[in-house]
Amino acid sequence: MAQPSQPLVLAVEGMSCQDCANAVTKIVQRVDAGARVDVDLAAGKVRIVSSADSAALAAAVTKGGYPSSVAG
């Protein structure tokens, strides 16, 4: 059973352009196709609303080439 959608903010390194933002969005949506993703390039943050596990999302983004961690 899926968990309810929860907002999550990831601090993501290495995003410098819209192509990076699109790549991170696609990575997140491979984990949860229904995730809502909002990338803030200037702040290096990605806000995600998803029912997926936050650690799994951060790990997928990191594995995709953008080191990330859950922002506090």
Side-chain angles (χ1 to χ4, degrees), residues 2-26:
Q3 299 174 346
S5 295
Q6 296 292 323
L8 164 71
V9 177
L10 295 180
V12 181
E13 299 175 33
M15 294 187 305
S16 59
C17 64
Q18 191 59 46
D19 286 339
C20 296
N22 292 340
V24 169
T25 298
K26 287 178 185 177

Side-chain angles (χ1 to χ4, degrees), residues 46-71:
V46 178
R47 184 175 187 278
I48 304 165
V49 178
S50 171
S51 58
D53 179 68
S54 60
L57 291 168
V61 172
T62 298
K63 186 176 178 183
Y66 299 92
S68 65
S69 60
V70 177

Side-chain angles (χ1 to χ4, degrees), residues 26-40:
K26 287 178 185 177
I27 291 166
V28 169
Q29 290 178 335
R30 279 189 211 122
V31 175
D32 177 3
R36 289 186 311 227
V37 184
D38 180 34
V39 177
D40 183 343

